[in-house]
Amino acid sequence: MTAELDAAGAPVPPERTTEADAHAVKEATAEESARSAALSEAERAAHAAREAVATAVRTTTRGIVDTSTRRRAEYSTDASNYRVVPEMVVFPISTDDVVATLDVTRELGVPLTARGAGTSVAGNSIGPGVVIDFSRHVNRVLSVDPEARTARIEPGVVMSTLQKAAAPHGLRFGPDPSTQNRATLGGMIGNNACGPHAVAYGRTADNVVELDVVDGTGRRFTAGKGDPTFAAVPGLAKIVQDNLALIRTEFGRFGRQVSGYSVEHLLPENGSDLAKFLVGTEGTLVTILEATVALVPMPSAPTLVVLAYEDMPTAADDVPALLSLGPLAVEGLDARLVDVVRRAKGADSVPELPPGGGWMMVEVGGATPEEAYANAEAIVAASASTSTRILPAGPDATAMWQIRADGAGLAGRTPAGEQAWPGWEDSAVPPERLGAYLRDLDELMARYGVDGLPYGHFGDGCVHLRIDIPLETSGSVLRTFMTEAAQLVAKYGGSLSGEHGDGRARSELLPVMYSPEAISLFEQIKALLDPQDVLNPGVIVRPAAVDADLRRPRALPVLPTKGGFSFSHDHGDMTQAVHRCVGVGKCRADSSASGGFMCPSYQATKDEKDVTRGRARVLQDAINGTLVGGLTSPEVRDSLDLCLSCKACSADCPAGVDMAQYKAEVLHRTYQGKLRPMNHYALGWLPRWARLAGMMPRVINAVLGIRPIAKLVLSLGGMDSRREVPRFAEVPFRTWWKRGGATNGVPGLAVGQTPGHPAGHRRPQVVLWTDSFSDALAPSVPQSAVAVLDAAGYDVIVPDQQACCGLTWISTGQLDGARKRLENLLQVLGPFAVNGIPIVGLEPSCTAVLRSDLLDLFPDDPRAQAVAGATNTVAELLTRPETRPAPETGWKVPDLSDVTAVVQPHCHQHSVMGFQADEKLLRGAGATIDTLAGCCGLAGNFGMEKGHYDVSVAVAENALLPALRAAGPDDIFLADGFSCRTQADQLGGVQGKALVELLAERL
């Protein structure tokens, strides 16, 4: 109700309101109550209908049927701009469960959408009604036939799993989208996915032999080729016969014409191939139960050529000259995309590249490495590039392909830091017209004042592009831009989609590309195979509007709270932060083989609830407030419960999602000023308890050494009683230091000074910052650091005051407490940092706070910038050119050639500082190391808490425990993280060492 205005335009004061006003207020209140009652009634009716369908499905299947609010939020979106909340999610155990679910939904007229990994960028894998997730259980490679070069698979199998099964036979599946380590074959078939190597091997459609499917009428049939009568689908042959001229002129014009239905495969001259036709129909005609796919020989010696150009259109102009040489892949890469990687992970994360505004990555093969190299030289000779580099198979080539694979996430932010969105994501034109198309597309974006980073499959004429269209308030700009872009691609004889399908993003625009007769043809085919329109409705035929069901405009800003994170990297808005997740789903992949750590909880449970993306979706839904009831809701707490706060996503997620930060912020908002769970006090205040225990450590250790008492203490503190309480040091490091432990028992001497003799010449100073864990629980680590730093020629300074980083307060969301401790830390360490004295951290999680969280909690404090810039790990200090020991000292890292070690990098070190310096130091000293990828599973307080023990152990079984069991009797376990060493001790009975302890032993 708006305020009444007086003659001057001012609000009428309350005392001047009339009886009529009061009556109006009363009526409005009554109307609001009636609306609320009606809404409640509607919600109850919807709930009853939902449960009725769920009950029907449950009675006919063995699978899991989940109607919970949290689960529906997780599956309400994919990697697109859209949000459609399903009524339930079904996890079938077998194809029989799928058929039974289809029968129920068809009988009840309930829409159904099939889903694999949920990485669809056009909104193809979301829908109302029922969503079936094939990836959880219906995910087997049924057989591989090396003679026929085929494989039988279930639709939920991840593509990289098929590649592993085919590899022993020297075979692979040809198309390989960048999401291949999480994308399912069912999704690839649904969208007609392609990937970089489609230049050599074709699209998914070109590699499908047969499909076992069920259509919208309930018919189950095997789709293959060679039957022009299409006996399995009565009526289809007549539709084809009646439209031969239309099909021959409008379809199959070039390789990446993926939009709409690919009816050219039904032509007799193309083998009347029903299976290939069904590829790319996006689940709107049939549901796939099983597929037989073709395999191809693996290239024996792939070599990568990097060609530099002034800009991306110029690179595209060069494509036709290269295709005649038979490359395996021809990929475009904007230089600004690579700059994103350099800014996020440092210059060393990108191989040396020839100078240019963009590159083409051209892969060639050969029977031998020499032949492949010669083919690479031929590519260089044929190109118009003036600066090139050839990369044989190896780390540099792998790094370039990883950057290309992460393109969708990396392109999610423009160079100016604005959020960029899919939509005009994978347009395609004939390759010979690509350069001209890109120039016109640049002009169109300039006219709209938007930006994006183009990359993609230039050899096929397909461009990936995310654009910073302003979606925060509405989709109006999206609609007009997409319409003009569709007209542009049609002008060049191209396709709205080159591999991702039309989905909700482009289906409405199909009439721009196709004639009315072609659109009618789509409708006829849909009516034949899905007359009730229950299979993925709103896609291709009778499409949803381009600007309907957009996710982002519903989400209002969430500004910083007092004491919380600033989210300065996201314009001070938590909404922008959680919307960094664009759904590419890299967090679902097991990336440990390439050194990735994300996402340990998902690798343990395989549940979307426990993956970074699923958590981000629940947070996004909580912010828009229409399904999940806000950030403090039970659904959010449930979603975040098994997050280890490992921060791996902050480094491994190409979009830069930092779920550990979001979890801390949510806990801060949830419990600020309220009574907290007991473990927040027991573990969140651990440095406080450690200082108290340091007053009488022998007594505390003796008491807690009695197992029944320890179990009681653990239980009362909100911890799992199967855990053990770490022993407190009898002499904490700071006590040892003050007693002169580092100076021959004489307090006040410089390290290395002999009593009764003056200190030697002045040496470079370093501050040894001793965190609470190292001080109270592992003093041998800082003691060893003193010895190593002294031997390396540094004057070691240990500040008089303790400086806690507040790590445990951060991980339990007690951000007010963390701020207090960090403010004190800035007072202690700030003067050293601003004077250019390096600070050495020992515990990786604490060191990471100074390099990351400190900056976000104190974004405007120059001392925070100084401390973050001055903080080093020991390995960084000893290996960086600006801080390493001077040559005149003659100091070298001790010889470690007799050392064989299992090395567990701490998650926070991997995510914030990186482990490269440690690895360089160890290998340079001759050590043989097995560097593990993935979290140890304890993750600070996580593995100690009640309800987390089993997941903690499961995470440890991913890498740590198998490696310890496989280690030789003389191998050592090396881990700087106290929690990593604790996990190895408690679960594997293995005592670990920190790097400085190993070095100190060899001095």
Side-chain angles (χ1 to χ4, degrees), residues 498-515:
E499 67 173 336
H500 293 157
D502 300 305
R504 297 172 181 275
R506 294 176 286 269
S507 291
E508 187 190 9
L509 300 174
L510 286 171
V512 177
M513 175 182 166
Y514 287 112
S515 67

Side-chain angles (χ1 to χ4, degrees), residues 199-278:
V199 167
Y201 304 125
R203 305 159 298 178
T204 296
D206 302 313
N207 293 271
V208 167
V209 179
E210 284 186 346
L211 296 175
D212 179 6
V213 299
V214 177
D215 71 8
T217 70
R219 286 179 296 219
R220 181 172 181 176
F221 59 91
T222 299
K225 65 180 297 186
D227 178 11
T229 69
F230 303 113
V233 187
L236 182 59
K238 185 177 187 310
I239 291 176
V240 173
Q241 190 65 35
D242 291 348
N243 291 276
L244 286 174
L246 173 70
I247 296 171
R248 285 168 174 152
T249 54
E250 286 202 38
F251 296 88
R253 293 177 287 105
F254 74 106
R256 286 298 184 100
Q257 184 182 348
V258 167
S259 281
Y261 293 148
S262 297
V263 290
E264 71 274 11
H265 295 295
L266 300 176
L267 291 170
E269 60 264 35
N270 291 334
S272 302
D273 201 323
L274 184 56
K276 287 180 171 54
F277 159 70
L278 291 173

